[in-house]
Amino acid sequence: MSEGLNKVYEFLLAAGTYYLATVEGDQPRVRPFGTVLLRDGKLYIQTGKVKPVSHQLAANPKAEICAFMGGKWLRVAGELINDDDRNAKVAMLEKMPALKSMYSPDDDNTQVLYFQNATATFSSFTEAPETFSF
Ligand SMILES: Cc1cc2nc3c(=O)[nH]c(=O)nc-3n(C[C@H](O)[C@H](O)[C@H](O)COP(=O)(O)O)c2cc1C
């Protein structure tokens, strides 16, 4: 597993909240997210298929997330790819147990997506940017 991917995962977990940007036509859309899972060398997030964010990603998988913590910010730009593997949904619900009151692996709503063609950049006002691809 790449060192960069681990670093991104740990940062997102520690930050707790990140902001997910999608596109709808020519309009950017952004909202707070918190779900994150590292599985099979892929960085996953979770949403509900009924949400506008899910519809936007189905039409255009290009997405970017941003999190800020301790004077550093992280941006991950790439494509978010749907994964209907039940095991991936189970793993997400185990990693983020608070989801279990709203979602189950078999509810036809739970959706997990992983980053593909991703570029992650850590930035700060004091250090040179650090970039990883996965
Ligand atoms: C701190 C925080 C974390 C959140 N994490 C998630 C998440 O991981 N997945 C999700 O689908 N919604 C999450 N939400 C709720 C979404 O922000 C909310 O449903 C939003 O309206 C979805 O965007 P949309 O309306 O464009 O579909 C979170 C909300 C907050 C306040």
Side-chain angles (χ1 to χ4, degrees), residues 55-111:
H55 299 148
Q56 287 153 23
L57 289 168
N60 182 349
K62 285 192 178 169
E64 185 156 330
I65 64 175
C66 183
F68 174 72
M69 181 183 63
K72 279 193 173 192
W73 60 100
L74 165 68
R75 287 185 286 187
V76 184
E79 295 147 13
L80 279 170
I81 306 301
N82 177 62
D83 187 349
D84 275 324
D85 180 353
R86 186 178 186 280
N87 292 331
K89 297 178 187 182
V90 169
M92 176 61 82
L93 294 173
E94 289 306 313
K95 182 68 197 174
M96 303 268 140
L99 293 173
K100 288 183 183 173
S101 62
M102 294 172 279
Y103 295 98
S104 89
D106 304 306
D107 61 10
D108 290 331
N109 182 37
T110 302
Q111 180 177 34

Side-chain angles (χ1 to χ4, degrees), residues 16-19 22 29-36 45-48 50-54 56 99 103:
T17 303
Y18 58 89
Y19 296 87
T22 53
R29 302 283 184 198
V30 65
R31 75 286 288 162
F33 260 47
T35 52
V36 59
I45 69 159
Q46 182 275 347
T47 193
V50 298
K51 293 192 182 189
V53 58
S54 175
Q56 287 153 23
L99 293 173
Y103 295 98

